[in-house]
Amino acid sequence: MAEKDQQQQTYPPPQVNPYGRNDEELASVSAADHRRKKRTKCFIYIAALTVFQIGMILLFSLTVMKVRAPKFRIRSATFGSFDAPLTNPSFNISMIAELGVKNTNFRNYKYSNSTIDFFYKDTKVGETVIPKANAKARSTRKFNVIVGLSSANLPSNSQLGSDLGSGSLPLRSESRLRGEVELMKVLVKSKKSSRMDCTMVIDISRRELQNVVCK
């Protein structure tokens, strides 16, 4: 009887994975999927880093490495000796002019000695020397020069008498600075020249420089 009971004893059937895979296969698939996701993340990080580096290079090229010619201007002026008689139309004036070299670059601008010429109509009536110097990055270098203005070389048929009679003396200044911007110390240098072309008026009665317009 006992043998018959043992023969009739049943055992639960072995559990079958619903996906048809055993635990080892599932573990292998999970590890492969994890590695795939990890590689995908690495590729995304590398692509993002590459795009970032390209963007920084473009930004650097468009800002720091882009060299612009500094602006050279007459800012203002005061006067020392001032002789401009109407009875004998002429002038002999000492002008202390404040000049400015505006350097918008991210590196210093070194320029050589130069000169600045002043004209009444088309005749030169004065000049002075611009000493070599260094305009710092992203700043304006201001300095003064003394200019002697004289009508000694004007032709006799000039309109000076009419201009002095109206109380104004129109002038024009011209100059050119030649220098260079050091981008990477001594490795890369960019030569740039800055041109001055300004018109202005001296108010005779007030002894003031007015209406300064520079191109």
Side-chain angles (χ1 to χ4, degrees), residues 98-113:
E98 182 186 81
L99 309 181
V101 179
K102 184 177 182 180
N103 180 21
T104 59
N105 297 294
F106 286 86
R107 302 292 297 180
N108 294 350
Y109 175 65
K110 296 181 179 180
Y111 56 89
S112 305
N113 294 331

PDB file of all heavy atoms in Angstrom, residues 98-113:
ATOM      1  N   GLU A  98      44.062 117.374 -26.775  1.00  0.00           N
ATOM      2  CA  GLU A  98      43.982 116.055 -26.156  1.00  0.00           C
ATOM      3  C   GLU A  98      43.566 115.044 -27.220  1.00  0.00           C
ATOM      4  O   GLU A  98      42.510 115.167 -27.833  1.00  0.00           O
ATOM      5  CB  GLU A  98      42.966 116.025 -25.014  1.00  0.00           C
ATOM      6  CG  GLU A  98      42.915 114.656 -24.319  1.00  0.00           C
ATOM      7  CD  GLU A  98      41.816 114.544 -23.288  1.00  0.00           C
ATOM      8  OE1 GLU A  98      40.653 114.290 -23.680  1.00  0.00           O
ATOM      9  OE2 GLU A  98      42.126 114.729 -22.093  1.00  0.00           O
ATOM     10  N   LEU A  99      44.414 114.040 -27.424  1.00  0.00           N
ATOM     11  CA  LEU A  99      44.153 112.999 -28.416  1.00  0.00           C
ATOM     12  C   LEU A  99      43.778 111.699 -27.708  1.00  0.00           C
ATOM     13  O   LEU A  99      44.087 111.502 -26.526  1.00  0.00           O
ATOM     14  CB  LEU A  99      45.385 112.781 -29.298  1.00  0.00           C
ATOM     15  CG  LEU A  99      46.010 114.035 -29.928  1.00  0.00           C
ATOM     16  CD1 LEU A  99      47.205 113.643 -30.789  1.00  0.00           C
ATOM     17  CD2 LEU A  99      45.003 114.804 -30.742  1.00  0.00           C
ATOM     18  N   GLY A 100      43.134 110.835 -28.445  1.00  0.00           N
ATOM     19  CA  GLY A 100      42.755 109.543 -27.889  1.00  0.00           C
ATOM     20  C   GLY A 100      42.950 108.417 -28.885  1.00  0.00           C
ATOM     21  O   GLY A 100      42.580 108.554 -30.051  1.00  0.00           O
ATOM     22  N   VAL A 101      43.539 107.326 -28.418  1.00  0.00           N
ATOM     23  CA  VAL A 101      43.678 106.107 -29.218  1.00  0.00           C
ATOM     24  C   VAL A 101      42.816 105.037 -28.543  1.00  0.00           C
ATOM     25  O   VAL A 101      43.168 104.522 -27.476  1.00  0.00           O
ATOM     26  CB  VAL A 101      45.138 105.637 -29.321  1.00  0.00           C
ATOM     27  CG1 VAL A 101      45.236 104.354 -30.150  1.00  0.00           C
ATOM     28  CG2 VAL A 101      46.012 106.730 -29.920  1.00  0.00           C
ATOM     29  N   LYS A 102      41.684 104.732 -29.150  1.00  0.00           N
ATOM     30  CA  LYS A 102      40.745 103.759 -28.569  1.00  0.00           C
ATOM     31  C   LYS A 102      41.030 102.377 -29.147  1.00  0.00           C
ATOM     32  O   LYS A 102      40.823 102.119 -30.330  1.00  0.00           O
ATOM     33  CB  LYS A 102      39.302 104.180 -28.869  1.00  0.00           C
ATOM     34  CG  LYS A 102      38.264 103.281 -28.216  1.00  0.00           C
ATOM     35  CD  LYS A 102      36.854 103.781 -28.481  1.00  0.00           C
ATOM     36  CE  LYS A 102      35.819 102.907 -27.798  1.00  0.00           C
ATOM     37  NZ  LYS A 102      34.430 103.383 -28.051  1.00  0.00           N
ATOM     38  N   ASN A 103      41.485 101.486 -28.282  1.00  0.00           N
ATOM     39  CA  ASN A 103      41.829 100.123 -28.685  1.00  0.00           C
ATOM     40  C   ASN A 103      40.741  99.173 -28.207  1.00  0.00           C
ATOM     41  O   ASN A 103      40.620  98.895 -27.011  1.00  0.00           O
ATOM     42  CB  ASN A 103      43.187  99.732 -28.104  1.00  0.00           C
ATOM     43  CG  ASN A 103      43.597  98.321 -28.480  1.00  0.00           C
ATOM     44  OD1 ASN A 103      43.098  97.762 -29.464  1.00  0.00           O
ATOM     45  ND2 ASN A 103      44.504  97.745 -27.720  1.00  0.00           N
ATOM     46  N   THR A 104      39.920  98.657 -29.124  1.00  0.00           N
ATOM     47  CA  THR A 104      38.831  97.747 -28.764  1.00  0.00           C
ATOM     48  C   THR A 104      39.258  96.282 -28.798  1.00  0.00           C
ATOM     49  O   THR A 104      38.424  95.396 -28.546  1.00  0.00           O
ATOM     50  CB  THR A 104      37.641  97.943 -29.724  1.00  0.00           C
ATOM     51  OG1 THR A 104      38.073  97.690 -31.072  1.00  0.00           O
ATOM     52  CG2 THR A 104      37.103  99.368 -29.633  1.00  0.00           C
ATOM     53  N   ASN A 105      40.519  96.012 -29.084  1.00  0.00           N
ATOM     54  CA  ASN A 105      41.002  94.633 -29.153  1.00  0.00           C
ATOM     55  C   ASN A 105      41.267  94.080 -27.755  1.00  0.00           C
ATOM     56  O   ASN A 105      41.359  94.816 -26.778  1.00  0.00           O
ATOM     57  CB  ASN A 105      42.285  94.570 -29.995  1.00  0.00           C
ATOM     58  CG  ASN A 105      42.052  94.989 -31.431  1.00  0.00           C
ATOM     59  OD1 ASN A 105      41.352  94.323 -32.184  1.00  0.00           O
ATOM     60  ND2 ASN A 105      42.638  96.108 -31.836  1.00  0.00           N
ATOM     61  N   PHE A 106      41.409  92.746 -27.688  1.00  0.00           N
ATOM     62  CA  PHE A 106      41.671  92.088 -26.421  1.00  0.00           C
ATOM     63  C   PHE A 106      43.167  91.997 -26.108  1.00  0.00           C
ATOM     64  O   PHE A 106      43.537  91.393 -25.098  1.00  0.00           O
ATOM     65  CB  PHE A 106      41.063  90.676 -26.429  1.00  0.00           C
ATOM     66  CG  PHE A 106      39.566  90.671 -26.300  1.00  0.00           C
ATOM     67  CD1 PHE A 106      38.764  90.799 -27.410  1.00  0.00           C
ATOM     68  CD2 PHE A 106      38.973  90.552 -25.056  1.00  0.00           C
ATOM     69  CE1 PHE A 106      37.382  90.794 -27.297  1.00  0.00           C
ATOM     70  CE2 PHE A 106      37.595  90.546 -24.928  1.00  0.00           C
ATOM     71  CZ  PHE A 106      36.792  90.673 -26.048  1.00  0.00           C
ATOM     72  N   ARG A 107      43.987  92.590 -26.949  1.00  0.00           N
ATOM     73  CA  ARG A 107      45.423  92.645 -26.701  1.00  0.00           C
ATOM     74  C   ARG A 107      45.899  94.085 -26.904  1.00  0.00           C
ATOM     75  O   ARG A 107      45.214  94.907 -27.518  1.00  0.00           O
ATOM     76  CB  ARG A 107      46.188  91.705 -27.649  1.00  0.00           C
ATOM     77  CG  ARG A 107      45.764  90.247 -27.564  1.00  0.00           C
ATOM     78  CD  ARG A 107      46.133  89.616 -26.245  1.00  0.00           C
ATOM     79  NE  ARG A 107      47.576  89.574 -26.047  1.00  0.00           N
ATOM     80  CZ  ARG A 107      48.159  89.076 -24.965  1.00  0.00           C
ATOM     81  NH1 ARG A 107      47.419  88.587 -23.985  1.00  0.00           N
ATOM     82  NH2 ARG A 107      49.475  89.066 -24.851  1.00  0.00           N
ATOM     83  N   ASN A 108      47.084  94.387 -26.382  1.00  0.00           N
ATOM     84  CA  ASN A 108      47.625  95.735 -26.475  1.00  0.00           C
ATOM     85  C   ASN A 108      47.967  96.103 -27.917  1.00  0.00           C
ATOM     86  O   ASN A 108      48.280  95.252 -28.746  1.00  0.00           O
ATOM     87  CB  ASN A 108      48.873  95.869 -25.604  1.00  0.00           C
ATOM     88  CG  ASN A 108      48.565  95.729 -24.124  1.00  0.00           C
ATOM     89  OD1 ASN A 108      47.404  95.718 -23.727  1.00  0.00           O
ATOM     90  ND2 ASN A 108      49.588  95.618 -23.310  1.00  0.00           N
ATOM     91  N   TYR A 109      47.897  97.418 -28.187  1.00  0.00           N
ATOM     92  CA  TYR A 109      48.233  97.942 -29.511  1.00  0.00           C
ATOM     93  C   TYR A 109      49.467  98.836 -29.366  1.00  0.00           C
ATOM     94  O   TYR A 109      49.421  99.867 -28.683  1.00  0.00           O
ATOM     95  CB  TYR A 109      47.063  98.740 -30.079  1.00  0.00           C
ATOM     96  CG  TYR A 109      47.351  99.427 -31.407  1.00  0.00           C
ATOM     97  CD1 TYR A 109      47.619  98.683 -32.545  1.00  0.00           C
ATOM     98  CD2 TYR A 109      47.348 100.818 -31.506  1.00  0.00           C
ATOM     99  CE1 TYR A 109      47.872  99.303 -33.754  1.00  0.00           C
ATOM    100  CE2 TYR A 109      47.606 101.448 -32.717  1.00  0.00           C
ATOM    101  CZ  TYR A 109      47.858 100.683 -33.837  1.00  0.00           C
ATOM    102  OH  TYR A 109      48.120 101.311 -35.045  1.00  0.00           O
ATOM    103  N   LYS A 110      50.560  98.425 -29.987  1.00  0.00           N
ATOM    104  CA  LYS A 110      51.803  99.202 -29.945  1.00  0.00           C
ATOM    105  C   LYS A 110      51.973  99.940 -31.268  1.00  0.00           C
ATOM    106  O   LYS A 110      51.984  99.317 -32.327  1.00  0.00           O
ATOM    107  CB  LYS A 110      52.999  98.278 -29.698  1.00  0.00           C
ATOM    108  CG  LYS A 110      52.965  97.575 -28.340  1.00  0.00           C
ATOM    109  CD  LYS A 110      54.194  96.687 -28.150  1.00  0.00           C
ATOM    110  CE  LYS A 110      54.164  96.004 -26.796  1.00  0.00           C
ATOM    111  NZ  LYS A 110      55.352  95.136 -26.585  1.00  0.00           N
ATOM    112  N   TYR A 111      52.099 101.267 -31.185  1.00  0.00           N
ATOM    113  CA  TYR A 111      52.252 102.042 -32.412  1.00  0.00           C
ATOM    114  C   TYR A 111      53.555 102.845 -32.391  1.00  0.00           C
ATOM    115  O   TYR A 111      54.101 103.167 -31.335  1.00  0.00           O
ATOM    116  CB  TYR A 111      51.059 102.967 -32.630  1.00  0.00           C
ATOM    117  CG  TYR A 111      50.764 103.927 -31.503  1.00  0.00           C
ATOM    118  CD1 TYR A 111      51.354 105.192 -31.448  1.00  0.00           C
ATOM    119  CD2 TYR A 111      49.864 103.585 -30.503  1.00  0.00           C
ATOM    120  CE1 TYR A 111      51.065 106.073 -30.420  1.00  0.00           C
ATOM    121  CE2 TYR A 111      49.567 104.460 -29.470  1.00  0.00           C
ATOM    122  CZ  TYR A 111      50.167 105.707 -29.430  1.00  0.00           C
ATOM    123  OH  TYR A 111      49.889 106.584 -28.414  1.00  0.00           O
ATOM    124  N   SER A 112      54.030 103.159 -33.578  1.00  0.00           N
ATOM    125  CA  SER A 112      55.305 103.845 -33.739  1.00  0.00           C
ATOM    126  C   SER A 112      55.109 105.363 -33.757  1.00  0.00           C
ATOM    127  O   SER A 112      53.984 105.873 -33.739  1.00  0.00           O
ATOM    128  CB  SER A 112      55.978 103.400 -35.045  1.00  0.00           C
ATOM    129  OG  SER A 112      56.119 102.003 -35.090  1.00  0.00           O
ATOM    130  N   ASN A 113      56.240 106.082 -33.805  1.00  0.00           N
ATOM    131  CA  ASN A 113      56.184 107.541 -33.917  1.00  0.00           C
ATOM    132  C   ASN A 113      55.424 107.952 -35.172  1.00  0.00           C
ATOM    133  O   ASN A 113      55.508 107.297 -36.217  1.00  0.00           O
ATOM    134  CB  ASN A 113      57.597 108.131 -33.971  1.00  0.00           C
ATOM    135  CG  ASN A 113      58.350 107.937 -32.672  1.00  0.00           C
ATOM    136  OD1 ASN A 113      57.755 107.878 -31.611  1.00  0.00           O
ATOM    137  ND2 ASN A 113      59.667 107.828 -32.761  1.00  0.00           N
TER     138      ASN A 113
END
